[in-house]
Amino acid sequence: MVSYILCNTPPLADTAVSALQSASTLAVSCEGVELGRLTGRLSLLSILAIVPVSDGASRTAFLFDVVNLPNSALAPVFALLVSPVYTKIMFHGRLDYSALCHGHAVALQNVLDLQLADAQARPESERERIMSIEKYLDEASTAYARFHPKIMMLAGLGKCTRLWEFLGCSLIPTSLREQSQRYITRFKAYQPRVGLDHESYDTNGFLPLDILDYVEGSASKKLARAADAKWLFSLSERARVIALCAS
């Protein structure tokens, strides 16, 4: 059973960092108001040591009070996140990265995102892929998706957690680190805004194109970016998107 310690003073934060430094793999999650958005704010940073199992950190999740802790106490915590030495396990880390990067100048490194692990390992037939997609799309968009096998739904936390427990760290392919980095840095250049038409595109449940397969400077990369920039922009524009991508 996991216990929790709220770290809202510098001494508590220092003790937590000392315990976490003995691990090689950390589960990381961020919470906040409108997390990762332009008007949002990071409030709580949760870190749990996963590997190795030790008395100091194995069953304790440390909750860092980002609002009240001074920068001097947060600096060692953020150092864990940017260090390539520690593997960070995250779920849907796009908005977490945005909050840390734009709000605190912290660029996460060496991340394994569970949604990407699921997408890699998913033994999904074409029929299952379409069935998972069609409930969220209109008929025309579903027809378009049939010809683009890279369009797929991202899994929820429960399924991804079970996948992680089944695979374990050692069986995760090395390519997943690169894919996860591309995935979480989706909002490196900008932050999504709440209430705008394109927010449904920014934060929808579809896997962004050109994440699993990426070729620098290739024609497929340009096509993927063009499709990605338009796909699911809004319900009313889907027909126009299909025409643009087909042209």
Side-chain angles (χ1 to χ4, degrees):
M1 182 176 179
V2 177
S3 61
Y4 302 89
I5 295 179
L6 177 62
C7 302
N8 54 3
T9 66
L12 286 172
D14 290 343
T15 300
V17 170
S18 296
L20 293 169
Q21 285 174 336
S22 65
S24 60
T25 303
L26 307 171
V28 178
S29 180
C30 297
E31 301 295 338
V33 178
E34 297 178 356
L35 183 69
R37 277 81 169 181
L38 188 63
T39 55
R41 185 180 185 184
L42 174 63
S43 301
L44 200 66
L45 174 62
S46 306
I47 306 180
L48 170 68
I50 298 178
V51 179
V53 176
S54 64
D55 293 337
S58 63
R59 293 181 176 83
T60 303
F62 298 101
L63 312 181
F64 296 93
D65 185 347
V66 178
V67 175
N68 292 311
L69 283 172
N71 290 334
S72 58
L74 289 171
V77 182
F78 292 152
L80 295 174
L81 302 182
V82 302
S83 173
V85 174
Y86 304 97
T87 297
K88 272 72 70 174
I89 306 299
M90 304 188 74
F91 170 79
H92 192 175
R94 291 181 289 181
L95 293 175
D96 299 57
Y97 182 95
S98 177
L100 288 164
C101 178
H102 297 289
H104 300 274
V106 174
L108 281 159
Q109 292 190 56
N110 195 9
V111 171
L112 295 179
D113 194 289
L114 292 178
Q115 285 190 317
L116 268 294
D118 170 73
Q120 273 274 33
R122 188 183 303 171
E124 189 176 54
S125 68
E126 178 63 11
R127 181 174 178 273
E128 290 171 329
R129 183 182 74 88
I130 295 301
M131 287 181 64
S132 69
I133 289 175
E134 63 184 357
K135 67 180 71 174
Y136 300 100
L137 302 179
D138 56 31
E139 185 176 349
S141 297
T142 301
Y144 174 77
R146 291 180 186 277
F147 296 96
H148 293 268
K150 292 182 182 179
I151 296 175
M152 64 177 69
M153 292 295 298
L154 294 164
L157 179 58
K159 181 179 179 181
C160 291
T161 301
R162 292 193 298 271
L163 175 76
W164 172 255
E165 292 172 350
F166 175 74
L167 288 177
C169 298
S170 62
L171 298 182
I172 296 293
T174 55
S175 61
L176 181 59
R177 299 180 189 275
E178 297 178 357
Q179 294 164 350
S180 294
Q181 199 66 25
R182 289 196 292 270
Y183 181 60
I184 66 167
T185 55
R186 182 115 189 111
F187 303 125
K188 185 176 182 178
Y190 72 99
Q191 287 183 284
R193 298 187 180 187
V194 176
L196 295 186
D197 289 340
H198 63 69
E199 198 203 3
S200 60
Y201 149 71
D202 283 329
T203 58
N204 66 67
F206 288 82
L207 174 66
L209 299 177
D210 209 26
I211 295 295
L212 297 184
D213 298 310
Y214 178 89
V215 180
E216 184 65 37
S218 69
S220 62
K221 172 189 169 185
K222 295 177 182 178
L223 175 61
R225 282 189 171 178
D228 208 6
K230 299 296 182 181
W231 183 252
L232 295 179
F233 185 83
S234 70
L235 292 174
S236 62
E237 292 187 292
R238 281 182 184 152
R240 184 176 68 84
V241 169
I242 295 170
L244 284 173
C245 291
S247 62

